[in-house]
Amino acid sequence: MHELYMWPFADAVHAGTGSISKHPCSFTVVDSDGSLVCAYQRLNNSYSCHNSKALNGLLKTELGFPGFVLSDWGAQHTGIASALGGLDMVMPFGFRFWGPNLTDAVRNGSVPESQIDNMATRIMAAWYFVGQDSPDTPPLAVGMARSHLRPHTVVDARDPADDAVNLQGAIEGHVLVKNINNALPLRNPSMISIFGYDAKNPNYNTPAQGFSAWSLGLQSQNYRSVICGFGSVIATCPPFLPISPNGTQITGGGSGAITPWYIDAPFEALSRRTRADRTALFWDFDTDGANSTIDTNSEACLVFINSAASEGVDRPSLRDDFSDALVKNIASSCNNTIVVIHNAGVRLVDRWIDHPNVTALIFAQLPGQNSGEAITQILYGNISPSGKLTYSIPRNESDYGSLLAPVNYTGWDRYFPQDNFTEGVYIDYRAFDAAGIEPRYEFGFGLTYTTFEYSDLNIQVTSDGNLSEYPVGPVIPGGRADLWDNLVTVTAEITNTGDVEAAEVAQLYLGIPVAGQPVRQLRGFDKVEIAPGETRHVQFNLRRRDLSVWDTGAQEWRLTLGTEYRVWVGASSRILPLNGTMVL
């Protein structure tokens, strides 16, 4: 709980994030309205929205969260228990368990009036936190009326000043993992061919009220398969496909989806570029039988596929036969096959990645409405890709072992299957390192159009030498105050040894000298833009919390004093040219 799932959200609370969505073993930042959402799941068989340990203990006491806790849609299951357990507000309505029932609970002494004061104070604090007392606050019914069934004034958030940020955000997410024979960037090709269902726009992008393909970000999928996941009554629920076959995928499905006012698909942007360059452009989106006719004069064959995921359903697989067959069939006839995957998470590639004609692979992730322009600028070298993988790509599903197996029930526990998280902190690269499994592409990996050299590692313990084993500071948002003290400063130099300006994401991994800890854990990263021949300085500040482990007996973070810590700095979790040690 502490060393893995709560870890990043202590940082979020400490940084002043007002709102985080609470799940039994993790938090997800959703927006800054001062609230936190308790989830549908149970923690130790107690529903999240009345789990006092999670809400009152971990969140409000240990992390010092000052905002209010809001239930997920319909996630409240009790009245008194949820009021005492840390829930402050109910969505979508509270009269089932609260309302006059909560009033009666206060009058008969079941719920102290002080608890109601605490709930109200947290809600009002959030109101002030986001400036709702400001005269510039939009009036009620702008954006959403008091009754969502009534007409309301539309908020048009399309600001031209945001265009550059949106495009740059799309570009940053692309991760180049293979590039042989200088396949990329493209250099004024006279002819290219485009293949794959993911290259074109969806057949429609039509706004509709309520749950719809547009509102759920599933224009290229069968959104009805996700509606089933939200409990709608549909006689036959269609299966959720591993791909979005009806056009390019720019977002995941469900509550986190974007609702675009336009979609710039890869084919559209590449059409603009090839027309300007007078490059012959051919395409096939049908690819009948996962195959196509290929003009052998094509200097590059671009294959666009995707890997789908959505809230409300499980991913059915980490690859699909049709897309894999398409890549192999195109590569069999084109000696410069460049694959682009719009992937919502891990996507396996070992069925074709070693094919000699597959010269480049880009994990394009979920770039949003500027998808086409982003990938075009990368393919043509207007900008060098700089993204790094935030997950490992294994060679096979079996590399995950039991981690990939779903939690099943035996019958009596149908409505509350239990996952005991026996893997502990050993997920992704921590698990692969511990088991000695070599992934296809490791966590933190990513190429650019240049090369970098790391040098001059320096590790400086900056504490005064009178460190206590446990933190002693008062609790502030995020935890005890001294958990955020910088105890060690690590620096290194990075030189661009190629001929293209690009950014590098330097990463620091730490080996904590405690039995049962992973071999190494990411504890910092620094992204720097470096011109050819230039050397840039990177710095990592290690806090007390970064260097500590959770002591379950003391229920506190504990430093390991007088024993050697190991430090690595490099380009990924497996490419670590610099290493050293330190003692606190």
Side-chain angles (χ1 to χ4, degrees):
M1 176 69 84
H2 287 80
E3 294 182 0
L4 184 64
Y5 295 106
M6 281 175 58
W7 183 270
F9 301 98
D11 282 326
V13 173
H14 182 68
T17 299
S19 170
I20 54 181
S21 172
K22 176 89 174 66
H23 290 262
C25 290
S26 63
F27 304 96
T28 305
V29 175
V30 288
D31 58 45
S32 295
D33 63 3
S35 72
L36 171 149
V37 178
C38 50
Y40 295 117
Q41 294 96 327
R42 304 185 194 205
L43 174 61
N44 292 345
N45 283 319
S46 170
Y47 279 110
S48 296
C49 288
H50 63 249
N51 190 296
S52 184
K53 173 63 177 179
L55 302 183
N56 291 325
L58 298 178
L59 177 70
K60 293 181 176 180
T61 301
E62 186 181 319
L63 296 186
F65 180 67
F68 67 93
V69 175
L70 172 70
S71 77
D72 206 335
W73 192 275
Q76 185 190 34
H77 295 277
T78 65
I80 292 173
S82 60
L84 297 177
L87 182 64
D88 301 304
M89 183 184 289
V90 181
M91 178 176 71
F93 38 71
F95 55 77
R96 181 183 178 191
F97 293 106
W98 282 359
N101 296 323
L102 186 57
T103 302
D104 289 343
V106 173
R107 286 173 175 165
N108 66 28
S110 299
V111 175
E113 187 173 338
S114 60
Q115 181 68 5
I116 305 300
D117 291 343
N118 181 272
M119 296 158 68
T121 300
R122 289 174 175 276
I123 292 168
M124 292 309 299
W127 189 79
Y128 285 107
F129 179 73
V130 296
Q132 290 298 296
D133 57 329
S134 168
D136 298 327
T137 301
L140 290 174
V142 173
M144 182 61 70
R146 286 182 179 271
S147 170
H148 67 276
L149 300 177
R150 300 184 61 182
H152 59 274
T153 303
V154 173
V155 174
D156 188 344
R158 297 174 295 175
D159 187 344
D162 296 334
D163 290 350
V165 174
N166 288 335
L167 176 59
Q168 190 62 29
I171 290 171
E172 297 283 352
H174 289 68
V175 185
L176 175 68
V177 297
K178 183 177 182 180
N179 189 26
I180 62 173
N181 303 327
N182 294 317
L184 293 177
L186 300 174
R187 297 172 177 82
N188 298 316
S190 60
M191 177 188 295
I192 64 173
S193 297
I194 299 175
F195 304 94
Y197 53 89
D198 184 78
K200 70 177 186 69
N201 259 323
N203 292 334
Y204 63 89
N205 187 46
T206 305
Q209 289 184 342
F211 287 142
S212 66
W214 180 77
S215 65
L216 292 174
L218 295 167
Q219 298 93 328
S220 301
Q221 259 275 359
N222 184 349
Y223 80 96
R224 288 168 60 86
S225 62
V226 175
I227 291 293
C228 288
F230 287 108
S232 295
V233 179
I234 299 178
T236 302
C237 297
F240 184 77
L241 300 176
I243 62 174
S244 296
N246 301 319
T248 196
Q249 178 177 267
I250 64 170
T251 181
S255 300
I258 64 169
T259 48
W261 57 281
Y262 71 89
I263 299 177
D264 184 30
F267 177 67
E268 289 187 317
L270 286 165
S271 295
R272 295 193 298 268
R273 180 62 184 253
T274 54
R275 183 167 62 249
D277 292 350
R278 303 191 64 79
T279 298
L281 178 64
F282 297 94
W283 62 89
D284 180 1
F285 305 138
D286 291 332
T287 52
D288 187 37
N291 212 338
S292 182
T293 300
I294 301 169
D295 191 315
T296 55
N297 291 312
S298 295
E299 295 173 44
C301 298
L302 309 179
V303 184
F304 287 87
I305 60 177
N306 62 46
S307 180
S310 175
E311 177 193 22
V313 294
D314 290 331
R315 293 183 64 187
S317 66
L318 299 182
R319 52 182 156 197
D320 71 284
D321 293 338
F322 178 84
S323 300
D324 287 342
L326 175 63
V327 173
K328 289 190 288 187
N329 289 338
I330 299 301
S332 67
S333 301
C334 182
N335 62 9
N336 189 24
T337 299
I338 298 165
V339 183
V340 178
I341 308 177
H342 285 113
N343 58 305
V346 175
R347 208 288 185 184
L348 304 185
V349 297
D350 262 55
R351 287 179 175 174
W352 43 262
I353 193 62
D354 287 328
H355 194 293
N357 288 344
V358 175
T359 55
L361 168 61
I362 296 175
F363 285 103
Q365 322 280 356
L366 302 172
Q369 60 194 26
N370 290 305
S371 173
E373 183 62 28
I375 190 63
T376 300
Q377 289 201 21
I378 289 172
L379 290 172
Y380 279 85
N382 297 98
I383 191 167
S384 182
S386 60
K388 301 278 190 169
L389 290 174
T390 55
Y391 42 78
S392 300
I393 303 293
R395 296 174 183 270
N396 207 308
E397 289 93 340
S398 60
D399 289 345
Y400 284 110
S402 61
L403 285 176
L404 196 63
V407 175
N408 294 312
Y409 54 84
T410 58
W412 66 272
D413 58 348
R414 173 181 180 183
Y415 296 106
F416 43 95
Q418 180 72 30
D419 186 345
N420 291 323
F421 294 88
T422 54
E423 69 275 7
V425 299
Y426 287 94
I427 65 171
D428 202 83
Y429 72 94
R430 299 173 179 90
F432 294 142
D433 287 349
I437 295 174
E438 187 69 28
R440 169 58 67 173
Y441 298 113
E442 71 272 14
F443 176 89
F445 179 72
L447 301 172
T448 67
Y449 295 150
T450 190
T451 54
F452 298 105
E453 183 178 284
Y454 285 73
S455 62
D456 296 333
L457 178 69
N458 182 270
I459 304 170
Q460 184 69 42
V461 177
T462 55
S463 63
D464 59 10
N466 295 315
L467 290 173
S468 60
E469 188 176 14
Y470 297 100
V472 296
V475 174
I476 62 174
R480 291 195 180 277
D482 46 339
L483 286 173
W484 312 98
D485 292 346
N486 290 326
L487 305 185
V488 179
T489 299
V490 180
T491 60
E493 305 293 324
I494 306 176
T495 302
N496 185 336
T497 55
D499 56 5
V500 174
E501 181 173 350
E504 171 67 333
V505 183
Q507 300 157 51
L508 181 146
Y509 292 83
L510 189 67
I512 299 177
V514 174
Q517 287 292 307
V519 175
R520 61 184 66 89
Q521 301 179 71
L522 180 69
R523 283 295 185 264
F525 57 89
D526 193 6
K527 186 170 188 175
V528 288
E529 191 84 21
I530 312 176
E534 183 185 13
T535 297
R536 291 287 304 274
H537 178 87
V538 291
Q539 178 171 315
F540 310 92
N541 296 317
L542 296 177
R543 306 159 300 183
R544 169 186 275 268
R545 183 164 152 270
D546 296 319
L547 300 157
S548 299
V549 297
W550 181 255
D551 187 324
T552 56
Q555 287 292 291
E556 269 295 359
W557 290 101
R558 176 172 58 84
L559 285 177
T560 302
L561 303 176
T563 306
E564 211 170 60
Y565 286 74
R566 294 200 64 188
V567 177
W568 295 268
V569 172
S572 77
S573 61
R574 294 290 180 100
I575 304 174
L576 298 165
L578 306 181
N579 66 87
T581 61
M582 65 178 181
V583 177
L584 297 176

